[in-house]
Amino acid sequence: MCANVFGVLKSLFAKPFDGGKRMEHGGAQQQQHHHPTEQPPQPHHPQHPAMARLYEVQKEVAALGPQVCTFSGLQHDRDYKRLERELTRLLMEVDGVESEGKAELQGARKRAAQEVEGLLRYLEENASHPSRQAIERLSEEARRLVEERVVAPQRQGGVAEIGDELVDALQELVLKLTQVKTEGRVPLRKARYRALTRLCAVQDVLEGRTQRQTPSLPLSGDTHRAVHRINQVMEKVSVARGQLVALLMGLSGRDSCTHLSRILTEMQVELDALDVSGNTAVRNYRKQVVEEINGLLKHLDLEVEGDDTRRYDLAQNESIRAIEAVRAHVSHLRDGVLRHCGAADPRPCGAADLGLRPKAELQGLLTHLDQVDTARNPCIREARRRAVVEVQAVVTFLDLREALARRAPGPAEPPAHRAVWLVLGSLSDLQAQVLGFDGKRADRSYMVLEELLTKQLLTLDAVDPQGHEATKGARKQAVKFAQNILNYLDMKTDEWEY
């Protein structure tokens, strides 16, 4: 959209005003090359007052354009109101230019008005876009959750209870945020990335605290004269952790990242000045406290997170490229597996056919994905997770096919056990169709697959193990397998984008 908005800027007043130079994206001018002996053309200065004023408007629009195209806030934000006010002023100035019936002036005024109106429209569309509203709702839900469970108890002098329930709730919100569609719009990508980075940082801080809730530290003050000071710093770190969470979630009041960074740095200086030589236990204790401080400091750069396009615009990101290369390889392997083990083939394929070689390659791809650097970027993390799921889906398909090929039921096999294996055979055929599915949720083929998988789950629910532990375990695994296929089908069709 912004490329279209600036399209008019490339030609707006180009000939009348700047000697043939044309405006580039963001207001930069394309350089002209001349022969060394030639004199560069002199700029043409507009003579007519109306043209001069329109030229000044053009320059102001060019300056405001990049700000509009990267604004990621809401309509009640101060920057939104400032941009809206400036653009409205420019539009009124354009309307006030007298064309005096001259076609050149009329065309220039019309183009200027269209440019300003286009920016106003783009500003409003992004700030009120349904995806932007969804990002704000999820962010507000996260703020309420963190305020209730973490910030409010600490402000009241108590201790926040941070358990798996809170961590899981935050993780669910992270997943919902990653699934918000941005349509490739820079403002929406920025807003989603900004919300995700803060929420993931809060997760990291809280999970780190959960892991350290029962430490062997602090040490007794009798151990060393420096221990008392380290314990005092440890108490300050605990307070700073709560302040950081509040900052990240916009619940900080008058605090700022700069202020908290200065406090944490002062703690580090104080710890460095302590003499703990000759006592390994105290030195290790101080080291752990310093590491906790460093763990908090690494999140304080989020005050301006998202302003760097290289962070939220991932099309050229090296990690994303590595993930996409793995996905392309998985697709190639999957196609080969399906050609040999498709649902139309009534004979199950086993390891002797092609199970070993593709599985070895797939396991290697999992190792490669584990090594991809996500750089604390939640979108890259989600892209990697989805690639891992794609690899695991093919691996589980091969595993089940091999199990079906090796199966040799005896005459004493319970009927319920046999029924579970019949369902697994049907699930294997359905999984082959899911692996090869390349459509949308509105497609009839999607609804048919979903219905058939649900029927298999109902069939498993009707199986009575009759106290047979092996059958009970097999049915449990079959249910989990069917649910995983359904989840994978949903993942393939949720139109996620990074």
Side-chain angles (χ1 to χ4, degrees), residues 128-163:
S128 60
H129 195 281
S131 291
R132 185 64 186 87
Q133 301 301 319
I135 293 168
E136 189 60 23
R137 284 195 300 272
L138 291 169
S139 299
E140 183 58 33
E141 187 176 345
R143 280 193 289 270
R144 286 197 301 268
L145 190 63
V146 170
E147 184 171 26
E148 284 179 19
R149 305 284 186 87
V150 182
V151 177
Q154 289 187 342
R155 284 177 177 168
Q156 294 168 5
V159 178
E161 295 184 8
I162 302 170

Side-chain angles (χ1 to χ4, degrees), residues 8 63 171 218 319 459:
V8 180
Q171 178 60 28
S319 294
T459 301

Side-chain angles (χ1 to χ4, degrees), residues 208-228:
R209 173 171 175 174
T210 301
Q211 295 166 2
R212 292 186 289 267
Q213 279 184 343
T214 55
S216 57
L217 304 174
L219 297 176
S220 168
D222 299 332
T223 306
H224 192 279
R225 61 179 179 272
V227 169
H228 178 66

Side-chain angles (χ1 to χ4, degrees), residues 451-466:
E451 182 180 355
L452 291 173
L453 287 166
T454 304
K455 284 183 177 179
Q456 296 303 319
L457 280 170
L458 294 174
T459 301
L460 288 170
D461 287 341
V463 173
D464 182 6
Q466 297 179 343

Side-chain angles (χ1 to χ4, degrees), residues 255-292:
D255 293 334
S256 69
C257 287
T258 303
H259 176 67
L260 184 56
S261 178
R262 184 169 59 250
I263 292 175
L264 290 169
T265 303
E266 289 172 357
M267 293 183 197
Q268 284 184 321
V269 172
E270 183 178 353
L271 290 172
D272 288 341
L274 291 176
D275 180 13
V276 296
S277 58
N279 193 311
T280 303
V282 177
R283 188 163 58 248
N284 289 338
Y285 178 29
R286 182 179 68 175
K287 180 181 178 182
Q288 288 187 36
V289 179
V290 169
E291 287 175 352
E292 286 220 21

